[in-house]
Amino acid sequence: MPHSGIMPGAFIFYPLTICLVLQKFNQKNMELPADFLEMMKDHPGLDLNRFREALLGTAPVSIRLNPFKPIPDFDDCESVPWHPLGKYLPERPNFTLDPLFHAGTYYVQEASSMAICQALFQHTDLSKKMTVLDLCAAPGGKSTVLLSAISPDSFLLANEVIKARIPALRQNLTKWGRTNFMVSQHDPADFAGLKGTFDVVLVDAPCSGEGLFRKDPNACREWSLEQVGLCSARQRRILGEAQALVKAGGLLIYSTCTYNKLENDQQVEALLETGQFNVAPLTFPAEWGIAATQYGYQFYPNRLRGEGFYMSVLKNNGETAPAGTRQKVRKEFTRLSKKELAPIESWVAEPGQFAFFQKPNQEIVAIPKDLEEHFLLVANNLSRRSFGLHIGQVKQHKLVPSHELALSHLTSNRIPAVELDLEPARDFLRKEPFALDTPQKGWHLIRFRGHDLGWAKLLGNRFNNYLPTEWRIRNY
Ligand code: SAM
């Protein structure tokens, strides 16, 4: 039984209870579309009755721990077989009230989709520096799987085409605490300048969502054959763009949370017809319950503890000429001089490892020096993208630190910190008043069980809470 600040089930308040009851009611009354069931008959060896029963059951709750912010809380929980940091919880706690969730010590993710790590484990050398693209990334579940697996000197570009989905993606990646990533907001067609750039490209494609029927009855109501056709046309277009971005010898990982072949094996088949890719097979112990399809792997909820999911891994055996690189710093960023760096250095653990730039809005950002080339390549080719970790702004020769800095691995251990108990930590996250007892004035990191939650500035007998409003816990 986990023993974190949150005990599973201990904080199930009204809204959550109502949601769970409604979900149960919806499941019991869920009519699976006849066309969908007809298509499922095509799945060799699938026991359709068991499959239907599983869809009427309760979805397991799972989380994935952040290797960079370790906590012992879930050590006793059952492990997800295919991910070393995946854990099943006995029931769904109220994550919103857990400060460790806000500190980014774990990500709530359905178990099957954690399996993309196996593509990296089985087909890449994770000790080597890699360049990775997550083309359909929001809200960031698989981006955090990728960030957890790759080496610290590797680079991840997490892209999402829909603008409204960018804040959640950025927030989840910020909580993960790393600096070796960028976020962009582009259609896959805009990536022409990054041809042949990536060792790994993940296309976790928008799909008809059949695999989510159990968790989200709306997905079931909205499903139709027409929608499957639309999704498969869109997937073909995305894959057409994505394949050109993979380096010779690199991997293209294709995944969906659906079962039908039009969106799964048939997409892969079309790619194989180009002659540029071969299937890179994965091996899984039989007891994991993952079914092999013609070109990939299918996860069925009646065979394992997870939702419906499909993945296929392809290796680029052709030649992809990298696009020409233009790596001059764009005018929009000004590299900080030694003198300008002075107010920042004491905040950062190893300032020598980072290059610091100022943006036109005066925001100072840091990027790992080893990855400067990658950051500039992306920045020069994509116009809507983040650039580095926000450090803060210098006002009157003093740094006003940003929230991103607080959640990152960059902060110096010389920065004063205040450790809070559970209730004050929740109050901090709600931006509600609480007592803070420390004689030292100035900026402090606010911590819960050793994990940073944000900044407070102490001013004698009061303090200012610098948690950004959009990060605040609401209605709890
Ligand atoms: N990888 C994400 C994760 O693990 O958290 C989930 C991605 S979701 C299955 C698919 C994503 O593709 C959505 O965020 C959706 O907005 C995005 N998308 C929608 N249309 C797209 C398009 N035409 N090209 C690329 N991505 C698209």
Side-chain angles (χ1 to χ4, degrees):
M1 173 69 79
H3 39 80
S4 67
I6 188 161
M7 298 290 283
F11 302 110
I12 301 193
F13 286 99
Y14 256 1
L16 188 63
T17 314
I18 291 167
C19 275
L20 291 175
V21 169
L22 276 177
Q23 191 189 336
K24 272 252 103 11
F25 174 82
N26 283 336
Q27 279 163 355
K28 290 264 175 306
N29 291 280
M30 183 166 65
E31 273 295 328
L32 295 172
D35 287 334
F36 166 69
L37 287 172
E38 197 54 39
M39 283 172 111
M40 290 310 297
K41 285 184 187 158
D42 257 7
H43 288 240
L46 181 71
D47 181 329
L48 216 54
N49 285 331
R50 290 240 164 98
F51 175 71
R52 284 177 70 153
E53 267 169 35
L55 289 190
L56 295 174
T58 308
V61 182
S62 48
I63 59 161
R64 190 170 32 75
L65 298 167
N66 184 342
F68 310 107
K69 298 188 177 185
I71 48 167
D73 302 60
F74 302 99
D75 286 359
D76 296 341
C77 291
E78 196 185 328
S79 295
V80 173
W82 42 87
H83 195 292
L85 294 169
K87 294 282 179 186
Y88 293 108
L89 307 193
E91 54 188 331
R92 193 173 188 87
N94 188 335
F95 294 112
T96 307
L97 283 174
D98 183 9
L100 290 177
F101 168 70
H102 298 275
T105 62
Y106 60 88
Y107 187 94
V108 183
Q109 185 175 42
E110 91 56 40
S112 303
S113 46
M114 299 178 194
I116 57 140
C117 67
Q118 291 294 331
L120 299 184
F121 294 166
Q122 298 188 31
H123 287 288
T124 66
D125 179 351
L126 287 169
S127 65
K128 292 214 168 119
K129 182 169 177 168
M130 286 198 292
T131 311
V132 179
L133 169 65
D134 184 355
L135 194 56
C136 311
K142 295 186 191 65
S143 287
T144 57
V145 172
L146 295 168
L147 268 181
S148 300
I150 60 179
S151 61
D153 62 345
S154 292
F155 172 78
L156 171 74
L157 173 59
N159 177 72
E160 166 59 42
V161 68
I162 296 178
K163 191 175 174 190
R165 291 173 64 85
I166 292 286
L169 173 61
R170 177 96 201 179
Q171 193 170 25
N172 284 326
L173 289 176
T174 298
K175 288 202 296 191
W176 223 239
R178 310 307 292 165
T179 47
N180 54 336
F181 73 90
M182 284 174 85
V183 171
S184 61
Q185 192 241 313
H186 278 270
D187 186 275
D190 300 337
F191 282 69
L194 295 171
K195 259 172 79 175
T197 298
F198 298 96
D199 297 288
V200 177
V201 174
L202 168 64
V203 175
D204 185 36
C207 69
S208 59
E210 294 160 357
L212 300 178
F213 283 179
R214 174 164 67 173
K215 275 183 81 181
D216 176 12
N218 273 337
C220 182
R221 276 191 288 275
E222 285 163 15
W223 185 92
S224 67
L225 281 178
E226 193 192 355
Q227 196 206 12
V228 169
L230 288 172
C231 287
S232 76
R234 185 162 53 182
Q235 288 149 355
R236 189 158 298 208
R237 184 177 77 79
I238 297 172
L239 280 172
E241 306 289 355
Q243 51 141 1
L245 308 178
V246 186
K247 264 185 197 165
L251 291 186
L252 177 58
I253 308 171
Y254 177 66
S255 61
T256 68
C257 52
T258 211
Y259 304 104
N260 72 75
K261 290 181 184 161
L262 269 166
E263 297 182 65
N264 293 342
D265 271 353
Q266 287 185 21
Q267 295 293 333
V268 177
E269 190 164 75
L271 259 184
L272 292 173
E273 279 165 12
T274 64
Q276 196 189 326
F277 288 89
N278 288 345
V279 171
L282 299 173
T283 46
F284 300 120
E287 61 271 22
W288 287 5
I290 300 168
T293 65
Q294 195 171 3
Y295 304 118
Y297 302 90
Q298 190 80 59
F299 295 60
Y300 298 101
N302 56 315
R303 290 189 177 168
L304 46 77
R305 290 181 72 195
E307 300 313 292
F309 184 65
Y310 169 88
M311 66 186 276
S312 174
V313 186
L314 302 169
K315 194 165 192 154
N316 180 1
N317 292 319
E319 292 292 315
T320 316
T325 55
R326 291 181 294 125
Q327 286 162 21
K328 277 205 187 114
V329 185
R330 285 171 75 109
K331 279 198 206 100
E332 65 190 282
F333 309 114
T334 323
R335 203 181 283 272
L336 291 196
S337 66
K338 231 180 154 36
K339 193 172 154 209
E340 287 167 322
L341 261 177
I344 295 157
E345 277 174 326
S346 63
W347 295 77
V348 176
E350 291 180 279
Q353 306 283 318
F354 295 90
F356 295 88
F357 295 88
Q358 188 161 38
K359 292 165 72 167
N361 63 2
Q362 308 299 308
E363 187 72 44
I364 292 165
V365 295
I367 60 174
K369 268 190 184 153
D370 285 354
L371 292 173
E372 202 172 318
E373 188 190 327
H374 297 71
F375 274 77
L376 294 175
L377 178 65
V378 172
N380 285 327
N381 280 283
L382 299 174
S383 58
R384 293 183 299 280
R385 37 77 192 128
S386 67
F387 187 78
L389 182 103
H390 287 181
I391 299 289
Q393 291 193 13
V394 175
K395 291 183 178 162
Q396 293 167 341
H397 310 294
K398 288 193 175 152
L399 185 75
V400 177
S402 78
H403 188 59
E404 286 191 12
L405 178 63
L407 293 186
S408 77
H409 65 102
L410 244 73
T411 44
S412 160
N413 57 16
R414 294 187 303 274
I415 299 172
V418 188
E419 177 74 32
L420 297 182
D421 289 336
L422 181 60
E423 277 312 319
R426 287 176 176 163
D427 285 336
F428 174 79
L429 292 165
R430 295 180 183 115
K431 285 181 84 87
E432 279 178 5
F434 62 95
L436 202 51
D437 190 19
T438 161
Q440 202 179 346
K441 284 190 189 174
W443 288 100
H444 284 69
L445 279 165
I446 296 297
R447 278 194 184 137
F448 177 69
R449 293 189 32 216
H451 294 282
D452 296 328
L453 300 174
W455 296 105
K457 192 173 182 189
L458 277 76
L459 314 151
N461 55 359
R462 65 184 181 89
F463 67 92
N464 288 336
N465 181 340
Y466 277 79
L467 186 82
T469 310
E470 62 277 18
W471 285 70
R472 178 166 75 91
I473 300 180
R474 285 161 214 276
N475 306 328
Y476 281 99

